[in-house]
């Protein structure tokens, strides 16, 4: 977050555009973002920015890319140690019977203990593996509702937000509430109980009275429900697909809130959350001018 603070502390934002954390395809760019995307030159941008720069963890990257080898490494080390001890006893002329008075025998016993410990550690590492959480297919209908009473600039901004989030994160549903009105409901939504194939309409008044939204707007901080099924407050979001896995409640200043639904448990990374916070600040600045 220190880096984020540095970005906003500079006089010129043109050198530091709000870009997605990773790109699957080129998102729709809003015309309002054109000034932010322009910079004089890469060298001038690097000279202007004096904050901390991210560093790659080479060891962590190597361990992540060679996970199976790392988990099996204690077994190889323990087995090799056992073999070396046995060969040492066989070819060094020392009696195979353990003699407590011999320093060599005591060293061999210690080595055998450490080797067995390595073998057991390797077996435990191989038996315990992180559970892979796969994304789900949201149960609902396609929805794209944009408030037509707002300016074209705001509509383009909302479309850009959706295209960016849906293409770079696990976002599959997005609802934007501002000033007591629903400005955007897009993505996969729960099906209406009254009409087949029609998305459920967001009850803005009931939503804002719920504990989830009141808590998020009152604190002014992002609320991340990494596993939505564990939270009783999920009943306050009936317009989202019934199998929505994770939700981010992002306040838009003190007048609105953005609800981002994902298709995978703990699918929003720390970088995604920080980026959504930046987008919310920009969206709040645009909508406050309406």
């Amino acid at each position: 977050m220190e880096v984020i603070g540095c970005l906003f502390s500079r006089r010129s934002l043109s050198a530091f555009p709000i870009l997605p954390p990773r790109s699957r395809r080129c998102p729709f760019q809003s015309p309002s973002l054109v000034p932010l995307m322009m910079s004089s030159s890469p060298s001038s941008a690097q000279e202007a920015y004096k904050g901390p720069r991210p560093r790659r963890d080479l060891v962590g990257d190597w361990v992540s890319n060679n996970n199976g080898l790392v988990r099996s490494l204690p077994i190889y080390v323990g087995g090799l140690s056992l073999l070396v001890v046995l060969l040492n006893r066989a070819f060094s002329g020392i009696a195979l019977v353990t003699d407590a008075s011999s320093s060599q025998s005591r060293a061999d016993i210690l080595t055998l203990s450490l080797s067995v410990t390595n073998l057991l550690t390797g077996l435990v590492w191989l038996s315990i593996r992180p559970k892979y959480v796969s994304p789900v297919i949201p149960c609902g209908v396609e929805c794209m509702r944009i408030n037509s009473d707002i300016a074209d600039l705001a509509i383009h901004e909302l479309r850009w937000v959706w295209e960016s989030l849906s293409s770079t994160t696990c976002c599959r549903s997005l609802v934007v509430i501002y000033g007591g009105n629903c400005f955007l409901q897009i993505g996969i939504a729960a099906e209406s109980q009254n009409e087949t194939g029609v998305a459920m309409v967001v009850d803005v008044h009931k939503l804002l009275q719920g504990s989830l939204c009141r808590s998020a707007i009152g604190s002014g901080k992002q609320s991340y429900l990494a596993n939505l099924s564990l939270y009783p407050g999920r009943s306050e979001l009936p317009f989202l697909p019934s199998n929505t896995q994770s939700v981010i409640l992002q306040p838009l200043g003190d007048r609105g809130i953005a609800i981002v639904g994902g298709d995978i448990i703990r699918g929003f990374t720390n970088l995604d959350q920080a980026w959504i916070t930046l987008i919310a600040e920009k969206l709040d600045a645009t909508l406050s001018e309406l």
Side-chain angles (χ1 to χ4, degrees):
M1 297 302 296
E2 183 179 355
V3 177
I4 297 174
C6 292
L7 297 182
F8 281 92
S9 64
R10 297 296 170 187
R11 295 181 180 179
S12 175
L13 294 178
S14 60
F16 310 103
I18 302 178
L19 298 176
R22 55 185 184 276
S23 178
R24 299 175 188 168
R25 64 176 185 271
C26 181
F28 176 83
Q29 300 293 341
S30 171
S32 63
L33 297 182
V34 173
L36 295 177
M37 302 295 291
M38 296 176 60
S39 60
S40 57
S41 65
S43 58
S44 62
Q46 295 178 358
E47 293 175 358
Y49 178 63
K50 299 181 180 180
R53 300 180 182 276
R55 293 180 297 178
R56 294 186 59 185
D57 186 0
L58 299 179
V59 176
D61 292 343
W62 184 86
V63 171
S64 178
N65 296 330
N66 301 273
N67 184 48
L69 176 61
V70 173
R71 289 177 180 273
S72 304
L73 190 60
I75 295 180
Y76 297 139
V77 174
L80 181 61
S81 301
L82 284 176
L83 180 61
V84 170
V85 171
L86 295 177
L87 292 177
N88 180 63
R89 298 290 293 192
F91 295 102
S92 62
I94 302 175
L96 296 179
V97 179
T98 303
D99 184 6
S101 63
S102 173
S103 59
Q104 180 64 42
S105 298
R106 292 195 296 269
D108 290 344
I109 292 176
L110 180 59
T111 305
L112 289 173
S113 302
L114 295 177
S115 301
V116 172
T117 302
N118 277 330
L119 288 172
L120 295 177
T121 301
L123 293 175
V124 171
W125 284 10
L126 288 176
S127 62
I128 300 178
R129 291 182 176 274
K131 182 181 179 182
Y132 175 73
V133 181
S134 57
V136 302
I137 300 177
C139 298
V141 296
E142 289 283 350
C143 174
M144 188 177 69
R145 293 172 176 159
I146 303 179
N147 194 325
S148 59
D149 296 332
I150 60 179
D152 292 340
L153 178 63
I155 293 178
H156 287 302
E157 189 85 5
L158 292 170
R159 289 183 57 190
W160 172 80
V161 170
W162 163 247
E163 290 292 338
S164 300
L165 292 180
S166 62
S167 61
T168 59
T169 70
C170 66
C171 171
R172 296 298 173 263
S173 306
L174 177 62
V175 174
V176 176
I177 308 294
Y178 199 83
N181 298 311
C182 181
F183 281 5
L184 177 68
Q185 182 184 10
I186 196 168
I188 307 298
E191 188 175 8
S192 174
Q193 298 178 354
N194 300 325
E195 300 181 60
T196 305
V198 178
M200 179 182 295
V201 178
V202 178
D203 189 340
V204 178
H205 178 74
K206 185 177 180 180
L207 174 64
L208 295 179
Q209 293 300 318
S211 60
L212 292 179
C213 290
R214 283 192 292 106
S215 175
I217 297 177
S219 65
K221 297 181 180 180
Q222 181 185 97
S223 178
Y224 180 28
L225 310 181
N227 190 351
L228 185 61
S229 62
L230 301 180
Y231 293 88
R234 65 183 181 277
S235 59
E236 301 176 13
L237 309 172
F239 48 86
L240 293 179
S242 58
N243 60 342
T244 299
Q245 301 296 295
S246 56
V247 167
I248 286 181
L249 302 173
Q250 176 62 55
L252 303 176
D254 57 354
R255 299 183 55 192
I257 188 170
I259 302 174
V260 186
D263 61 351
I264 184 172
I265 297 176
R266 295 180 294 274
F268 294 100
T269 64
N270 293 335
L271 185 58
D272 294 336
Q273 297 173 50
W275 187 57
I276 290 174
T277 301
L278 285 177
I279 289 181
E281 294 178 1
K282 186 179 188 309
L283 187 59
D284 177 40
T286 301
L287 298 180
S288 63
E289 297 177 357
L290 299 179

